[in-house]
Amino acid sequence: MRAFVTGVGGQDGSYLAEDLLAAGYEVDGLVAPGIPCSPPAGVRLHEGDLADADAMAALLADVAPDQVYNLAGVSSVALSWEQPVLTAQVNAVGAIGLMEAAWRVQQASRRRVAFVQAGSAEMFGEPASAPQHEGTPIQPVNPYGVSKAFAHQAVAVYRARGLAASSLILYNHESPRRPTSFVTRKITAGVAAIAQGRATELTLGNLDARRDWGWAPDYARAMRLAAEHPHPADYVIATGESHSVRDLVRIAFAHVGIADWERYVRVDPTFIRPADATELCGDSSAARRVLGWAPSVTFEQVVEAMVTHDLDVGQA
Ligand code: GDP
């Protein structure tokens, strides 16, 4: 079995490639030209622009994968406010271009091509009810969410056309491979720096925002389970527990033995977003029931693993 993974140099792509290689797949991966990354050994790398539909169609025809995973894109809500057009080009137009390319491979080869889209809970915007599920209304409140909503709905269109396409509605998922532009890693790297005397304060935005934070390798495994399942469908992938940014800060500081964390944290309005969901929390019962998926790591363990990693990096 051959899998094609876009965004293979990123957090999710690298964990997914490791998972697929361990499961015996051959893995081809797409990386954006000129962006430094270190994908896992054993991945056959291709450089290319996801938003170039003709290039993607030619590449997929050449690779002829059994499974296509679309993980590339502008991955940050914060960046999507600065680059809304690029976000739409890559996350929305790029996604449908890749679905079309996968569809053509299936038509030409007359064998099933599974497609998995890395979707996002951000498409729910500021949801009226919690936890959210696959039927929760799609009402994004930022450019990132609207681009992910388009890709999610395009998956349903291609599934109806006969492509084995699934959209995974992923809630926040973290690891030491997260860049510090995300709040989890910003906090764990900042806390490690304070503990080791390399910094004196941590500057953050909205401490009251609540997110459902899971462990990235668990979310990568969910993607493979969806591709391998005989029936394509959409699934919420989440832990079902939400925590505030403030909880995250407190747990990270507690891990380095600092209880009076307020002394080190400053709120800077420049990190407060034009629109920000108050709480995202997902109901993954369909994925648990149909795919046999479950998260394997608790929120506290995610935070501790990241702080421990950042302490090690800081010491090196
Ligand atoms: P997102 O959910 O994909 O946007 O992931 P982030 O990790 O970037 O943000 C998660 C939540 O943390 C959002 O509600 C942000 O508003 C909040 N947050 C609070 N302070 C910060 C900060 O300094 N940086 C980032 N990135 N997010 C912050």
Side-chain angles (χ1 to χ4, degrees), residues 38-123:
S38 46
V43 175
R44 227 175 27 198
L45 280 188
H46 306 270
E47 270 202 354
D49 178 5
L50 180 62
D52 183 342
D54 292 339
M56 287 304 113
L59 180 55
L60 249 61
D62 191 36
V63 172
D66 303 287
Q67 300 179 349
V68 176
Y69 297 88
N70 186 30
L71 279 56
V74 174
S75 65
S76 134
V77 175
L79 184 63
S80 82
W81 284 108
E82 286 159 34
Q83 302 261 30
V85 176
L86 177 71
T87 301
Q89 281 165 342
V90 180
N91 294 9
V93 177
I96 199 168
L98 196 65
M99 285 172 226
E100 175 63 22
W103 165 253
R104 288 186 198 171
V105 171
Q106 176 166 291
Q107 292 301 95
S109 65
R110 296 178 188 279
R111 59 188 169 76
R112 181 187 200 258
V113 177
F115 186 98
V116 174
Q117 166 67 18
S120 168
E122 280 292 335
M123 76 176 182

Side-chain angles (χ1 to χ4, degrees), residues 16 18 42 49 51 74 85 89 115 123 128 144-145 149 202 208 216 240 268-269 289 299:
L16 175 61
E18 287 168 8
D49 178 5
V74 174
V85 176
Q89 281 165 342
F115 186 98
M123 76 176 182
Y144 177 82
L202 176 59
D208 296 315
D268 180 341
R289 194 177 61 247
F299 174 67

Side-chain angles (χ1 to χ4, degrees), residues 77 172 181-183 186 204-206 209 211 245 271 273 276:
V77 175
N172 298 52
S181 50
F182 288 84
V183 79
K186 181 176 176 181
L204 295 167
N206 181 8
R211 291 290 180 276
V245 174
F271 291 112
R273 299 175 180 177
D276 195 28

Side-chain angles (χ1 to χ4, degrees), residues 75-79 120 122 142 144 171-174 178-187 202-211 213 244-246 248-249 266-268 270-273 275-280:
S75 65
S76 134
V77 175
L79 184 63
S120 168
E122 280 292 335
N142 55 54
Y144 177 82
Y171 282 64
N172 298 52
H173 46 285
E174 314 297 316
R178 259 304 198 206
T180 53
S181 50
F182 288 84
V183 79
T184 48
R185 187 77 197 287
K186 181 176 176 181
I187 291 168
L202 176 59
T203 312
L204 295 167
N206 181 8
L207 299 184
D208 296 315
R210 298 182 68 87
R211 291 290 180 276
W213 279 292
S244 65
V245 174
R246 184 178 276 101
L248 213 172
V249 171
R266 191 164 60 82
V267 171
D268 180 341
T270 56
F271 291 112
I272 295 183
R273 299 175 180 177
D276 195 28
T278 313
E279 174 167 18
L280 290 173

